[in-house]
């Protein structure tokens, strides 16, 4: 792992990957079935830009339950992935048995230098994750491409109101961590981080992430499956938290009683020289 920058955050990542994995894996089936499809629009944007197809290798960092892995495998790529949540990796393996999927830290990737033609991370590499960018650089072959995505500043940004609820009801330490991670939404932060790792930034773009649920119960199951919900779930009355989350989502409710959340989803593509 690269640690030669004069940046203590690079040498010592400020995230406990095992704790994060426990949180994100706590409701793995609900995440996989009810939430992970939020990334479809960004996958449609990123996969062609990374040249995903036959005779190329792709690593998905923070692969979750493996939606991107399954799609890339279907496009003919040789696919690998890593995630901190063992429960999500288990689901990913069941979806794509031929992929090389592992439980571990994105700050210490268990692959050799120059291993992959492309690396991607859908809402996995955030602010304060410079060491993960360093590792992505290490495992990419010269000329290889990296694509990352993250929530932007909007509009629209419906998902922000829900995450504000989880931050409000969570412990102070959790709120600080969420603010640090979301710094990447500020224009230029992602580009600076990638350039500091040695990448040449090629493009920044955006899509609108649309995610829909037919009723209150499905929406609550989906939203309570995300990692940032867990600290709030652990220390609050579930009925109070559920009501607050659904109130925050009320503007997304349609006349049929379902929900349609639309959010600014940003991406950056860079190349290893």
């Amino acid at each position: 792992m690269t640690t030669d920058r004069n940046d203590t955050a690079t040498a010592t990542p400020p995230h406990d990957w095992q704790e994060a994995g426990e949180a994100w894996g706590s409701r793995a089936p609900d995440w996989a079935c009810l939430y992970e499809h939020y990334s479809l629009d960004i996958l449609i944007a990123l996969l062609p830009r990374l040249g995903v197809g036959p005779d190329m290798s792709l690593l998905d960092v923070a692969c979750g339950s493996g939606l991107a892995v399954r799609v890339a495998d279907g496009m003919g790529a040789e696919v690998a992935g890593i995630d901190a949540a063992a429960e999500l990796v288990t689901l990913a393996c069941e979806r794509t048995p031929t992929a090389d999927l592992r439980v571990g830290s994105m700050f210490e990737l268990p692959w050799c230098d120059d291993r992959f033609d492309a690396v991607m991370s859908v809402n996995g590499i955030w602010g304060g994750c410079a060491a993960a960018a360093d590792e992505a650089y290490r495992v990419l072959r010269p000329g290889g491409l990296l694509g990352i995505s993250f929530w932007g500043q909007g509009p629209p940004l419906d998902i922000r109101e829900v995450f504000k609820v989880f931050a409000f009801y969570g412990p102070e330490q959790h709120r600080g961590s969420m603010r640090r991670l979301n710094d990447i939404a500020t224009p230029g932060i992602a580009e600076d981080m990638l350039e500091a790792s040695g990448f040449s930034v090629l493009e920044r773009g955006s899509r609108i992430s649309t995610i829909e649920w037919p009723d209150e119960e499905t929406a609550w199951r989906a939203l309570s499956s995300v990692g940032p919900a867990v600290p709030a779930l652990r220390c609050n009355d579930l009925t109070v938290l559920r009501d607050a989350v659904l109130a925050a989502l009320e503007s997304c409710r349609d006349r049929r009683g379902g929900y349609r959340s639309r959010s600014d989803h940003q991406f950056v593509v860079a190349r290893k020289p």
Side-chain angles (χ1 to χ4, degrees):
M1 177 174 134
T2 302
T3 57
D4 56 352
R5 262 196 267 161
N6 293 322
D7 180 347
T8 57
T10 303
T12 307
H15 310 287
D16 183 330
W17 70 269
Q18 292 173 313
E19 181 179 329
E22 291 174 3
W24 281 99
S26 63
R27 302 187 180 194
D30 283 351
W31 160 262
C33 296
L34 304 178
Y35 197 93
E36 192 179 23
H37 62 285
Y38 84 92
S39 63
L40 281 174
D41 291 281
I42 215 72
L43 292 181
I44 292 169
L46 278 181
L47 292 175
R49 284 170 166 80
L50 298 178
V52 174
D55 302 318
M56 66 87 65
S57 56
L58 172 72
L59 172 64
D60 186 3
V61 174
C63 65
S65 49
L67 177 59
V69 169
R70 179 172 62 81
V71 174
D73 178 77
M75 296 170 70
E78 174 200 342
V79 191
I82 190 168
D83 199 274
E87 293 83 357
L88 292 178
V89 172
T90 296
L91 286 170
C93 289
E94 292 169 355
R95 286 174 162 177
T96 313
T98 57
D100 177 11
L101 302 174
R102 310 188 192 187
V103 178
S105 170
M106 65 182 177
F107 302 112
E108 295 181 286
L109 297 177
W111 288 280
C112 64
D113 296 358
D114 306 334
R115 169 65 178 81
F116 297 100
D117 297 312
V119 175
M120 68 181 300
S121 185
V122 177
N123 289 33
I125 296 177
W126 295 86
C129 293
D134 288 343
E135 279 290 270
Y137 185 93
R138 180 183 64 78
V139 300
L140 266 175
R141 64 167 177 79
L145 296 171
L146 169 71
I148 66 171
S149 74
F150 42 87
W151 297 124
Q153 295 182 315
L157 197 56
D158 295 334
I159 200 66
R160 174 169 53 195
E161 300 309 310
V162 173
F163 280 85
K164 281 183 177 178
V165 172
F166 291 138
F168 178 80
Y169 282 91
E172 176 58 36
Q173 181 181 3
H174 177 60
R175 290 195 289 273
S177 174
M178 289 181 70
R179 283 193 294 268
R180 181 177 63 250
L181 293 174
N182 288 324
D183 283 347
I184 201 170
T186 303
I189 295 295
E191 292 87 341
D192 288 347
M193 179 177 69
L194 297 182
E195 288 173 354
S197 292
F199 288 100
S200 297
V201 174
L202 302 179
E203 179 185 4
R204 184 184 183 119
S206 66
R207 294 293 185 271
I208 301 300
S209 169
T210 302
I211 185 167
E212 299 171 306
W213 304 292
D215 51 48
E216 287 185 354
E217 182 57 32
T218 307
W220 167 244
R221 284 180 61 189
L223 291 165
S224 61
S225 74
V226 303
V230 170
L233 289 167
R234 287 173 176 166
C235 57
N236 288 279
D237 180 275
L238 293 188
T239 301
V240 171
L241 187 59
R242 180 182 185 276
D243 289 347
V245 166
L246 293 176
L249 201 64
E250 184 61 30
S251 65
C252 302
R253 194 168 190 177
D254 64 25
R255 60 185 177 82
R256 301 175 188 83
Y259 297 84
R260 183 172 298 105
S261 170
R262 302 175 72 248
S263 297
D264 174 24
H265 207 175
Q266 298 281 314
F267 66 88
V268 175
V269 177
R271 186 186 303 277
K272 177 178 178 177

